[in-house]
Amino acid sequence: MTVNIAVLISTRPGLGRRQVEAYERLAPLVRAESGCIQYDLHRVAGDDDRFLLLEQWETQAALDAHDAAPHMLAQDAANSEFRAGPATVLHYEPEPVA
């Protein structure tokens, strides 16, 4: 069963571009990871400083390995330079309920 995640990200006012730049550097590394099905950043409509990151992983083990990858640990440490606070991580079921 796949693991599906939606991550809500807010940057400090005017620093949304820093989030995009970080993602552009990180995305090729993440997409090359074993088990990565989807890793896509979307901007919230009408708000240059809010984002939705959609992730899909083949297994929980693949997600766990991703979370422990050196490039992820380094980026997590750097996020405080431009993020407004911790991201909100939502795990969702792949099938709609209605």
Side-chain angles (χ1 to χ4, degrees), residues 12-87:
R12 287 188 252 149
L15 296 182
R17 183 72 199 143
R18 298 269 310 271
Q19 176 62 54
V20 173
E21 290 166 354
Y23 178 81
E24 289 172 340
R25 286 188 306 273
L26 197 61
L29 300 173
V30 173
R31 289 180 180 142
E33 292 176 31
S34 177
C36 180
I37 298 169
Q38 178 185 22
Y39 194 76
D40 297 321
L41 186 70
H42 300 265
R43 190 181 307 276
V44 172
D47 191 337
D48 289 343
D49 296 321
R50 292 182 63 213
F51 302 87
L52 174 66
L53 175 61
L54 297 176
E55 299 184 40
Q56 187 178 43
W57 296 88
E58 289 178 1
T59 63
Q60 183 63 49
L63 175 59
D64 293 344
H66 160 71
D67 288 339
H71 53 270
M72 290 307 300
L73 296 175
Q75 186 57 56
D76 287 346
N79 285 341
S80 63
E81 296 173 10
F82 54 86
R83 291 231 181 133

